[in-house]
Amino acid sequence: MKVVRFIIGCLFLFQLKAQMVSRLEWKINWQFRKSGDSVWHKASVPGTVHTDLLSQHLIPDPFLEDNEQKMQWVEETDWEYTSVLEVDESFLKRQNIQLLFHGLDTYATVYLNGVKILTTNNMFRSWTVDVKRYLTSGKNTVLVRFDAAVKRGREMAKHLPYTLPGDERVFTRKAQYQYGWDWGPRLVTCGIWKKVECVAWDAIRIERFYIGSQKLSSQKADLTAILEVNCTTAGTYTVNITEPVTQRIITTQIMTLTEGLQTVKVPFVVKNPRLWWCNGMGPQTLYTFQCSVKGSKQEDAITLTTGLRTIQLIQKPDAKGKQFYFKLNGVPVFMKGANWIPADNFVTRVNKQEYELLIKKAAEANMNMLRVWGGGMYEDDIFYQLCNQYGILVWQDFMFACAMYPGDTAFVENVKQEAAEAIKRLTNHPSLALWCGNNENDEGWKNWGWQKQYHYTPQDSGKIWNDYLRLFHKELPELVAMYAPQNAYWPSSPSIGWGRKESLLQGDAHYWGVWWGMEPFEVYKQKVGRFMSEYGFQSMPSSYYYSTFCSDTSLNAVSVKWHQKHPRGFETIKAYMEREYKKPSSFSDYAYVSQLLQAGGMKTAIQAHRRAMPYCMGTLFWQWNDCWPVASWSAIDGSNSPKALYYEVKRSFREVLISVTEEDSTYAVYIISDRPTGLKGTLSLRILDATGKVAWRMDKRVIVPHRSSGSYFKIPKSVLKGYLLRELVLNSELHSEGGELLARDDFFFVKALDLALKPATIHLKVDTIKNTIVLSSDVLAKDVQVYTSEGEVWLEDNFFTVLPGERRTIKIMKGSVNGKTLRVRSLNSVFFK
């Protein structure tokens, strides 16, 4: 990543006489209690009531055993937080003093020195209140009372003549996943979940700074700095734009500001701009700007880091329907990625290191997009900053999911304030690709039987649907057009439900015939849409991870079942496993095979999507991460350890991919390339048995165009006549003209259930100097996993095939083994237990 720094203004280049804005973060001496109690307990801000209760040993860990069900009283309880802030006379002499709450979850009433100053009703908004007249020199006491959101939601539901899908959660603007999902617990929390600041200033304060219009060419970037300025002293103010090295002033704007909040626009130019590209397409060049507004007595400054790029959503009719793909800087991009959920059920516990691990691993897995799902939250700034840094584009949902929402004026106005703030906060992140209205609300209304389930009258249905149209087809797109015209808006994901053929011809598609519909994995090859934004399959985390949150690790254990939130989760895994594998005898092996099952299914889907390029131009599987310990659709579990799916995704998302698929009379060998330029090389194909004996081989020179997918060889099934398919594997490799291995694939002709595997002796050697592992096997070893009894080790690759006589060298990606005993297993060892 390259960082280019520009300075708007000369703020830090000389000693300023003008007074700056003062900020005091109010984060110490916080206490909390149950409303009505007399005893206060130590609290953390930012934080939540659940994490405060846990840190004070007032509740057991809700992530352990089946403790979640013992925590439900917390959501029915009102809570109070209090603290004391000392303010000196110099601070009080400032002309304006404001108390700024960056996030209150959710229904809060705030008192300062006994005076009610604020009521809130939206977790996703920040709240600012003028407090100069309420503050005194010395100690000042703030009290924040939180009403139980579930009780407020149930009360509001009583005022409608019908029931909305989603029950009480839809009335409250807070993270919807807190109410429980089919991968997460019900832990409806509250608290001061973002920082609290006391801000003092005199004549001028910059409340927001973002870059508006961008007109890019190779010679220059025409930009507009947009400032929202709060002015209490009308007068003349100056904005300068200065080059950082030469200090040459590019533009000076002298303007007259009136009292009140106003918008200031300052055009400026960046010569010879370097563009921001997503992962795999070029550098992630970022520019840092600093903007200051200066008057005779006060100056304020604010910084911003952004990237210069254009992003377009292309929807052009074609012979088969309508295209749906993204262009970045004028270049079509096949999107490879996943759906993102909050990284912890209690998001205040997620630190920068955890965010970076998850996003860096996405980049290392050759991904270029994450979809921030609408049942979670608008993520922390650090999430988007890291996406900028690692080149991960963001499909950003507004925070609505799997429900229908109220349409009264108060609710809509609340949402409009929420959305405007979110758009303006995120608009300058070059990673932000798309704003989407909601997750599956449209599909739910049309396909999930809600109208029959809730016995709606025609009048009820008309009112609910019109409310939907107003919010998602009018208000939200208008706000995106106003504050982020460079980004497209998409009303709902998916645009058409997975049971309708049109869903594969246009828009984005969620395909859940596999899993929900119990269809076989092979169906993924036929059900390919223009942009596959959801599909998935569950697996269990490792048995070691289970041992950290369940005292009894068996499939029938109460605590194990409690950490499976899908009503038919284990039943569905078992049904598919019986189709594809021999049933393992131990809990550890069962968890391992469940991961192989998930990885194999997702390989079938992802590679079908990539083979279909350019008809299909995106594949985002469900889901990237977990928010707690659970059996789920994730590639990375709740301890931030990789499952088999992580490694399969990394292989299937490689820049150059070999993908083999069975056809009527042949096995077609595809090469898919995301490279910006073409390549020449040699495709080597070998069919061999478990002992390494070669039954057939072929080498072919190939020329692969840039950004293309095509079949480069078809192996006639007649070639295999006289052989037992259950004993064979097809090894495919693509080497460049210089001999570099560009791609590899090991294709089995039958399901794992029917393979004639042999007992394998796998040798493992650790090179602590090179930080590598070398593996070899006497016979073909399938799905070889390297792990430890103390947890997972992040490796360059894992869960792979080792051919007889082959030496596979794997880099240890995260730290070193540090004396841990490495273990190795394969499907062979599971089959022969």
Side-chain angles (χ1 to χ4, degrees):
M1 177 190 69
K2 298 180 180 179
V3 178
V4 183
R5 299 188 181 276
F6 284 73
I7 301 178
I8 303 176
C10 307
L11 177 60
F12 295 127
L13 302 179
F14 53 86
Q15 185 66 38
L16 294 173
K17 295 181 180 179
Q19 198 167 9
M20 300 295 296
V21 172
S22 300
R23 294 177 180 272
L24 296 175
E25 186 174 350
W26 203 335
K27 63 179 181 179
I28 61 173
N29 302 320
W30 283 96
Q31 296 178 301
F32 81 106
R33 70 181 180 185
K34 180 180 177 181
S35 292
D37 281 2
S38 59
V39 179
W40 290 92
H41 306 278
K42 184 179 179 180
S44 296
V45 171
T48 71
V49 68
H50 282 84
T51 51
D52 286 333
L53 288 165
L54 182 60
S55 68
Q56 296 304 302
H57 309 290
L58 298 174
I59 58 171
D61 191 334
F63 283 14
L64 302 182
E65 307 292 349
D66 58 349
N67 290 341
E68 175 205 347
Q69 63 183 323
K70 304 170 186 175
M71 302 294 104
Q72 299 311 302
W73 64 272
V74 177
E75 71 175 44
E76 299 286 348
T77 305
D78 300 335
W79 298 91
E80 298 178 353
Y81 281 74
T82 190
S83 184
V84 174
L85 177 69
E86 292 208 25
V87 178
D88 60 26
E89 287 290 346
S90 62
F91 194 85
L92 286 175
K93 288 179 181 178
R94 302 301 294 269
Q95 184 176 340
N96 303 281
I97 303 177
Q98 295 175 322
L99 193 57
L100 173 56
F101 291 91
H102 288 267
L104 294 170
D105 183 9
T106 294
Y107 296 108
T109 305
V110 182
Y111 299 84
L112 180 60
N113 294 329
V115 179
K116 183 168 74 171
I117 59 169
L118 177 67
T119 59
T120 73
N121 61 352
N122 193 319
M123 171 183 177
F124 305 121
R125 291 174 58 184
S126 61
W127 306 88
T128 302
V129 58
D130 294 322
V131 295
K132 179 177 173 65
R133 58 178 172 163
Y134 305 118
L135 288 172
T136 61
S137 179
K139 295 182 179 180
N140 293 266
T141 301
V142 66
L143 175 69
V144 184
R145 289 179 175 163
F146 290 98
D147 291 347
V150 294
K151 293 193 292 188
R152 290 284 293 268
R154 288 195 291 264
E155 187 61 33
M156 285 185 281
K158 294 177 182 178
H159 297 289
L160 286 182
Y162 44 76
T163 300
L164 287 174
D167 300 320
E168 80 269 17
R169 69 175 171 88
V170 303
F171 297 92
T172 297
R173 295 309 300 145
K174 71 186 274 108
Q176 303 285 273
Y177 78 96
Q178 291 184 11
Y179 293 81
W181 227 265
D182 55 7
W183 39 259
R186 182 180 174 105
L187 294 167
V188 186
T189 196
C190 68
I192 306 170
W193 76 290
K194 291 189 176 182
K195 68 180 180 180
V196 182
E197 291 183 297
C198 205
V199 182
W201 49 287
D202 293 321
I204 196 84
R205 179 185 168 211
I206 303 172
E207 299 211 350
R208 200 171 302 276
F209 167 41
Y210 57 99
I211 303 298
S213 58
Q214 292 189 9
K215 186 178 180 181
L216 302 181
S217 69
S218 58
Q219 291 78 34
K220 66 174 182 174
D222 292 307
L223 308 176
T224 302
I226 301 177
L227 291 79
E228 293 181 0
V229 179
N230 200 340
C231 180
T232 58
T233 303
T236 301
Y237 293 84
T238 302
V239 177
N240 293 324
I241 300 179
T242 307
E243 287 185 348
V245 178
T246 64
Q247 295 301 305
R248 181 176 65 87
I249 296 177
I250 299 173
T251 299
T252 296
Q253 281 214 1
I254 300 174
M255 60 192 69
T256 300
L257 298 181
T258 58
E259 290 188 10
L261 185 66
Q262 53 217 282
T263 299
V264 174
K265 296 183 178 182
V266 182
F268 65 103
V269 173
V270 174
K271 294 182 179 179
N272 303 313
R274 284 172 275 179
L275 300 182
W276 183 94
W277 293 93
C278 66
N279 186 35
M281 292 192 68
Q284 289 75 55
T285 303
L286 298 174
Y287 290 81
T288 297
F289 302 99
Q290 188 175 70
C291 180
S292 65
V293 179
K294 185 176 180 180
S296 59
K297 295 182 178 180
Q298 192 198 334
E299 180 173 2
D300 195 14
I302 191 169
T303 59
L304 175 151
T305 297
T306 188
L308 306 181
R309 59 94 179 98
T310 61
I311 187 80
Q312 299 167 276
L313 174 63
I314 306 300
Q315 296 186 78
K316 183 179 178 181
D318 60 16
K320 297 179 180 179
K322 184 185 288 187
Q323 298 171 331
F324 190 103
Y325 69 94
F326 291 89
K327 274 188 176 180
L328 179 63
N329 299 323
V331 179
V333 184
F334 187 98
M335 295 302 172
K336 300 177 290 189
N339 287 262
W340 170 280
I341 65 170
D344 192 311
N345 223 80
F346 307 118
V347 294
T348 58
R349 299 196 296 196
V350 185
N351 57 37
K352 179 181 178 181
Q353 290 72 31
E354 291 172 287
Y355 272 121
E356 183 156 22
L357 183 148
L358 290 167
I359 294 169
K360 182 179 180 181
K361 290 304 175 185
E364 289 177 357
N366 304 302
M367 291 164 56
N368 57 19
M369 177 172 273
L370 287 169
R371 173 179 174 237
V372 178
W373 170 73
M377 64 178 191
Y378 308 100
E379 275 292 347
D380 189 89
D381 289 338
I382 189 63
F383 170 87
Y384 302 96
Q385 291 164 8
L386 289 166
C387 287
N388 299 341
Q389 177 182 338
Y390 287 102
I392 304 297
L393 287 160
V394 176
W395 171 309
Q396 177 68 54
D397 282 2
F398 286 101
M399 293 300 110
F400 303 88
C402 304
M404 300 300 282
Y405 289 81
D408 58 276
T409 300
F411 183 87
V412 172
E413 288 303 312
N414 193 7
V415 168
K416 287 171 65 176
Q417 293 294 322
E418 163 197 324
E421 183 173 340
I423 297 166
K424 287 187 282 188
R425 176 170 71 92
L426 302 182
T427 189
N428 280 134
H429 292 286
S431 55
L432 205 294
L434 175 78
W435 285 97
C436 180
N438 64 74
N439 173 78
E440 298 184 341
N441 295 9
D442 185 286
E443 177 179 3
W445 181 254
K446 294 175 180 176
N447 299 322
W448 293 356
W450 284 342
Q451 298 181 59
K452 290 183 178 180
Q453 178 183 349
Y454 294 102
H455 307 291
Y456 294 139
T457 66
Q459 292 75 21
D460 294 339
S461 293
K463 175 67 167 64
I464 294 168
W465 183 243
N466 286 332
D467 288 344
Y468 174 90
L469 293 176
R470 176 189 175 189
L471 186 57
F472 297 108
H473 287 258
K474 181 182 183 297
E475 303 292 359
L476 291 179
E478 287 179 357
L479 289 168
V480 172
M482 182 183 301
Y483 297 116
Q486 72 277 15
N487 290 122
Y489 173 82
W490 188 240
S492 185
S493 179
S495 53
I496 303 172
W498 62 264
R500 299 169 182 263
K501 65 177 183 179
E502 293 84 4
S503 68
L504 303 178
L505 304 178
Q506 60 185 327
D508 70 316
H510 294 190
Y511 190 74
W512 287 104
V514 175
W515 183 266
W516 281 101
M518 298 299 291
E519 295 174 347
F521 289 134
E522 289 76 16
V523 169
Y524 279 135
K525 298 178 182 180
Q526 288 79 47
K527 303 295 185 178
V528 178
R530 312 312 292 260
F531 193 104
M532 304 301 293
S533 52
E534 263 197 38
Y535 56 93
F537 196 88
Q538 278 197 0
S539 72
M540 300 164 65
S542 69
S543 59
Y544 168 78
Y545 186 33
Y546 268 107
S547 71
T548 67
F549 59 86
C550 295
S551 56
D552 181 355
T553 53
S554 64
L555 282 174
N556 293 320
V558 171
S559 55
V560 170
K561 289 182 177 180
W562 197 263
H563 290 263
Q564 165 60 272
K565 290 302 181 181
H566 190 278
R568 296 186 292 109
F570 283 141
E571 177 187 339
T572 303
I573 291 173
K574 179 176 179 289
Y576 276 86
M577 190 179 293
E578 289 173 347
R579 299 177 191 176
E580 305 285 338
Y581 291 88
K582 297 176 183 178
K583 184 179 178 181
S585 58
S586 72
F587 182 82
S588 176
D589 287 341
Y590 195 94
Y592 160 75
V593 173
S594 80
Q595 292 192 22
L596 301 182
L597 181 70
Q598 177 193 36
M602 294 304 94
K603 176 181 180 179
T604 300
I606 291 169
Q607 295 198 7
H609 302 159
R610 292 196 68 187
R611 287 195 302 269
M613 183 175 72
Y615 178 85
C616 176
M617 284 296 288
T619 177
L620 311 178
F621 68 89
W622 183 271
Q623 67 204 58
W624 182 236
N625 57 317
D626 273 326
C627 66
W628 81 311
V630 66
S632 83
W633 294 267
S634 70
I636 297 177
D637 69 26
S639 68
N640 288 337
S641 295
K643 296 181 181 179
L645 176 58
Y646 170 81
Y647 295 103
E648 184 50 60
V649 164
K650 185 176 182 180
R651 292 188 289 264
S652 290
F653 280 165
R654 286 188 63 168
E655 182 181 51
V656 180
L657 174 71
I658 296 174
S659 177
V660 180
T661 185
E662 182 178 5
E663 297 179 344
D664 290 339
S665 59
T666 63
Y667 296 96
V669 182
Y670 280 73
I671 300 175
I672 300 99
S673 175
D674 287 330
R675 286 191 168 189
T677 58
L679 64 90
K680 297 179 181 180
T682 301
L683 175 64
S684 299
L685 306 175
R686 291 187 301 159
I687 298 176
L688 58 159
D689 67 15
T691 66
K693 182 179 178 181
V694 176
W696 177 88
R697 71 180 306 153
M698 189 279 306
D699 291 334
K700 180 184 179 183
R701 295 271 295 165
V702 295
I703 300 175
V704 182
H706 73 290
R707 301 189 183 95
S708 66
S709 170
S711 174
Y712 285 80
F713 195 81
K714 292 181 183 288
I715 303 172
K717 289 185 177 180
S718 58
V719 166
L720 302 175
K721 187 176 181 181
Y723 291 94
L724 295 176
L725 296 183
R726 61 199 303 265
E727 297 179 348
L728 301 178
V729 62
L730 168 62
N731 171 250
S732 307
E733 293 185 350
L734 177 65
H735 290 84
S736 70
E737 289 185 308
E740 178 189 0
L741 179 63
L742 300 176
R744 168 181 172 160
D745 181 70
D746 295 304
F747 174 83
F748 292 87
F749 296 94
V750 299
K751 294 181 178 182
L753 175 69
D754 300 317
L755 282 175
L757 297 176
K758 298 180 180 295
T761 300
I762 301 174
H763 298 281
L764 182 151
K765 182 179 179 181
V766 179
D767 187 328
T768 55
I769 296 175
K770 295 182 179 179
N771 211 30
T772 59
I773 298 169
V774 180
L775 297 116
S776 61
S777 176
D778 59 337
V779 298
L780 183 148
K782 184 169 173 21
D783 299 317
V784 175
Q785 180 196 14
V786 178
Y787 65 106
T788 77
S789 59
E790 296 88 359
E792 302 296 331
V793 178
W794 279 97
L795 302 176
E796 181 183 28
D797 199 4
N798 211 347
F799 299 89
F800 47 73
T801 295
V802 177
L803 300 176
E806 176 185 20
R807 287 170 56 86
R808 292 202 68 164
T809 301
I810 306 298
K811 184 179 178 182
I812 300 172
M813 298 292 288
K814 182 182 179 182
S816 62
V817 177
N818 292 331
K820 294 179 181 178
T821 301
L822 286 178
R823 299 180 177 182
V824 62
R825 66 176 155 195
S826 65
L827 196 59
N828 308 53
S829 60
V830 172
F831 277 14
F832 286 97
K833 277 191 176 179

